[in-house]
Every structure is written in C-alpha cells, then in structure tokens.
Amino acid sequence: MQRSLAFLAALSLCSSAYAQAPEFVREPAKVKAGTYELDASHGKITWSLSHMGFSTYVGQFTGVAATLTLNPAEPAASRLEASVKTESVSSLHPKLDAHLKNADFFDVAKYPTAAFKATRVTMVDADSADIAGDLTLLGVTRPIVIRADFNQAGVHPVDKMYTIGFDGKTVIKRSEFGMKFALPMIGDDVTLHLEAEFKLRQ
C-alpha cells in the first residue's frame, strides 16, 4: 500500500511538472553557451540499411556518451566528441544481435568502442548545421558529415536542468570501415539517425 501511494505521489509530481508548459527557446542564437553532457537515457543512434532489397532493416546503439562545448555566438567554435559502446548494438532479435557482435560485423571483442570527433561546424540555415568530423569504427578513421537540426532548449520540466535537443543524420558506407560481410546483398549504405538531449554542466 505504501509503495502504491509513493508511486502515485511521484506520478502526480511528474504530471504536474509537464502540465506547467514551460517556455522553451527555439532560436539557436539564444541558447546558453557552455559545456554539455549527453543524457544517456535520451541519446541513441538508430541505424538502417537495405536487407537484400526486401526490406530496410533497423537497429540501435544505446551505449552513447558525448560532450558538447557550445558557442551560439560563434557556432564554428563549438566542439563535439562522442563514443559508442559497440556491445550496445541491438536489433531486438537475440540471434541476430549475436551475429552483429561477431567479426562479420562489429567485432565487439576487438573493437569495443566507436568514436566521433568534430573538426568543423558550419551553419546551413537558422537552426541546422553540418558537423564535419572523424568517425572511428573497427579501427578505421574516416571523415563524415552529420546534418544536425536544433529542436529546442530550456529548463527541463522534470529534472530542472538546462537542456538542449538535437536530431542528426548521416550516411556512411560500411565497406569503407572494413565491414564487407554479405556485400552487396546486404546494403553498403548505412543511414544513421541520431537523437540527443544534452544537459548543461552545473
């Protein structure tokens, strides 16, 4: 009974926080400058590629960590570094996940981490930027460009932390990183969708 009451009380507080409809900033130039850490519970990478032309297969990486140093007044001075635990790859199918983790694909025992480091940030319109940088996967480092779209910023209604949110997208060729299993039946072009909420360091 006490647990039920505690749960209801927490749910009420959460509902009340969302009901306040806080004001959010949707102009990147008005976002607070500073160093941000990715909220791991709201940061993930969704990947997709062609499966023999029959379907577009989709999965995720959830073990993502990132640090963003943001300078809204001078976006080109902003910096981003991210790492991904390859063990976190998931298709929601245990047998396929085991195959994805072996040497045919991500070889997680040998390469437990993938990484990205931005080298240039270029605004393309009022709320979008191209983030050029180096992606390291399977021990191979190659340049990529991520198109990042700003969503909004402001004090999060639940945790009360200043938060900014972005969506991102890029396409890579897995063969360029040495992942050539089942080409060309399984697609070479892999689309990466990135969802990220960053918290301002206190």
Side-chain angles (χ1 to χ4, degrees), residues 18 20 34 40 64 77 84 89 94 103 109 127 131 134 138 144 147 169-170 182 187 192 197-198:
Y18 282 114
Q20 292 175 5
V64 185
V84 181
V89 65
D127 56 6
I131 304 175
D134 294 323
L138 296 174
I144 67 169
R147 173 62 58 87
K169 180 181 179 182
T170 190
L192 304 177
E197 293 183 21
F198 287 87

Side-chain angles (χ1 to χ4, degrees), residues 18 37-46 60-66 83 156 158-159 161 163-164 166 194-199:
Y18 282 114
E37 294 288 344
L38 180 69
D39 176 359
S41 62
H42 295 95
K44 59 179 62 69
I45 299 170
T46 301
Q60 285 188 331
F61 290 98
T62 55
V64 185
S83 63
H156 194 284
V158 176
D159 63 24
M161 297 180 68
T163 304
I164 57 176
F166 297 91
L194 302 90
E195 312 295 336
E197 293 183 21
F198 287 87
K199 305 291 184 179

Side-chain angles (χ1 to χ4, degrees), residues 67-159:
T67 301
L68 171 66
T69 301
L70 187 64
N71 186 342
E74 189 180 352
S78 298
R79 296 290 180 265
L80 173 66
E81 292 190 28
S83 63
V84 181
K85 294 180 179 178
T86 54
E87 177 71 24
S88 72
V89 65
S90 175
S91 66
L92 299 179
H93 189 287
K95 186 175 180 180
L96 177 56
D97 288 350
H99 191 191
L100 289 171
K101 293 174 185 180
N102 76 19
D104 285 340
F105 290 101
F106 291 100
D107 199 358
V108 301
K110 187 175 181 180
Y111 303 105
T113 305
F116 174 79
K117 184 175 182 179
T119 56
R120 186 178 69 255
V121 178
T122 306
M123 296 299 297
V124 294
D125 57 35
D127 56 6
S128 300
D130 280 343
I131 304 175
D134 294 323
L135 173 64
T136 300
L137 177 65
L138 296 174
V140 178
T141 300
R142 295 189 63 86
I144 67 169
V145 178
I146 299 170
R147 173 62 58 87
D149 296 316
F150 172 72
N151 293 328
Q152 64 181 21
V155 177
H156 194 284
V158 176
D159 63 24

Side-chain angles (χ1 to χ4, degrees), residues 46-50 56-59 189-193:
T46 301
W47 49 264
S48 59
L49 76 168
S50 172
T56 299
Y57 209 83
V58 178
D189 289 345
V190 181
T191 300
L192 304 177
H193 288 274

